[in-house]
Amino acid sequence: MKKPRFLDTIANQLKNLGSGNHVHTDRGLLIFNNTSEVIRAETLLKREGIEVSVKGPPPSVRTGCDLAIEFPLNSGLKVAAILAHSKIEPLKMLPVSDPSLEPVSLFQTKDYGEYLMVRAANMKITISKIDEKIVNVSGGGCPDVPFLADQLVGKTLTNCPAPLSLGQTLCGYALYLAYEELIRQCRG
């Protein structure tokens, strides 16, 4: 089996980081060509116990899709091996060593008094703060957004299905991220 060139690239980058010629950092950023690769990579890396988070790539390195994965740099070789085994090859791996490479948060939260809205990328989910009932799902342009709204509106955060189990489009994934952030904020 041919060794993916991404493994060599990562190994060389990690070796250079340890040479003392670079600013020390503990985080890396993976840039992908499309959203489905981000979703697959996030799922695989989390399954292997690696702490990753999906972020917006900094504007200076934005290529491909508008999502990136932040990971602990000391797990770089393990990350590369997991992705290579699954035939996922990021466009780039960057150490977050410069403030201009700081990833961008995907989330915006707006408190409307009795309602709380979280936006992730292009999708928004709003709940009543009294009973955590979902009162609105909006945004995106994917064909499954009306279906997602139909399945979620009127249910509480604890009795609704996770949006990712309902839709596999970018909108479904962004809604899932907003849903997870909303749960994090409500549960503290």
Side-chain angles (χ1 to χ4, degrees), residues 17 22-28 72-74 94-98 102:
L17 283 172
H22 291 79
V23 174
H24 290 286
T25 182
D26 61 348
R27 296 175 299 135
L73 208 48
N74 63 1
L94 305 165
V96 183
S97 58
D98 181 312
E102 213 35 63

Side-chain angles (χ1 to χ4, degrees), residues 152-164:
L152 298 175
V153 172
K155 295 180 178 160
T156 64
L157 288 179
T158 54
N159 73 4
C160 74
L164 198 55

Side-chain angles (χ1 to χ4, degrees), residues 16-185:
N16 288 337
L17 283 172
S19 70
N21 295 330
H22 291 79
V23 174
H24 290 286
T25 182
D26 61 348
R27 296 175 299 135
L29 200 61
L30 296 166
I31 308 296
F32 293 89
N33 191 40
N34 61 60
T35 306
S36 63
E37 290 175 332
V38 173
I39 295 169
R40 284 185 54 217
E42 179 195 24
T43 302
L44 290 167
L45 296 172
K46 282 185 173 178
R47 189 180 303 149
E48 293 297 323
I50 298 174
E51 286 188 34
V52 297
S53 59
V54 176
K55 304 276 185 167
S60 61
V61 297
R62 189 168 288 164
T63 57
C65 73
D66 288 341
L67 300 173
I69 292 180
E70 186 179 58
F71 68 99
L73 208 48
N74 63 1
S75 300
L77 287 176
K78 185 176 179 183
V79 166
I82 292 167
L83 296 180
H85 181 74
S86 299
K87 298 182 174 37
I88 301 171
E89 189 167 327
L91 295 172
K92 294 179 191 169
M93 189 288 294
L94 305 165
V96 183
S97 58
D98 181 312
S100 70
L101 293 178
E102 213 35 63
V104 180
S105 174
L106 291 177
F107 305 110
Q108 293 177 334
T109 301
K110 184 79 176 177
D111 189 332
Y112 291 104
E114 56 185 287
Y115 300 103
L116 184 65
M117 180 194 77
V118 171
R119 175 183 177 157
N122 60 350
M123 291 300 297
K124 295 173 261 184
I125 184 169
T126 306
I127 62 164
S128 164
K129 291 191 318 192
I130 296 170
D131 56 7
E132 297 185 348
K133 189 176 281 186
I134 298 170
V135 296
N136 190 34
V137 169
S138 62
C142 305
D144 60 347
V145 172
F147 171 75
L148 293 168
D150 181 64
Q151 296 297 306
L152 298 175
V153 172
K155 295 180 178 160
T156 64
L157 288 179
T158 54
N159 73 4
C160 74
L164 198 55
S165 70
L166 300 171
Q168 299 294 315
T169 63
L170 173 59
C171 298
Y173 182 65
L175 185 62
Y176 166 73
L177 294 175
Y179 162 84
E180 289 286 316
E181 177 63 15
L182 198 50
I183 288 175
R184 189 192 67 74
Q185 289 186 25

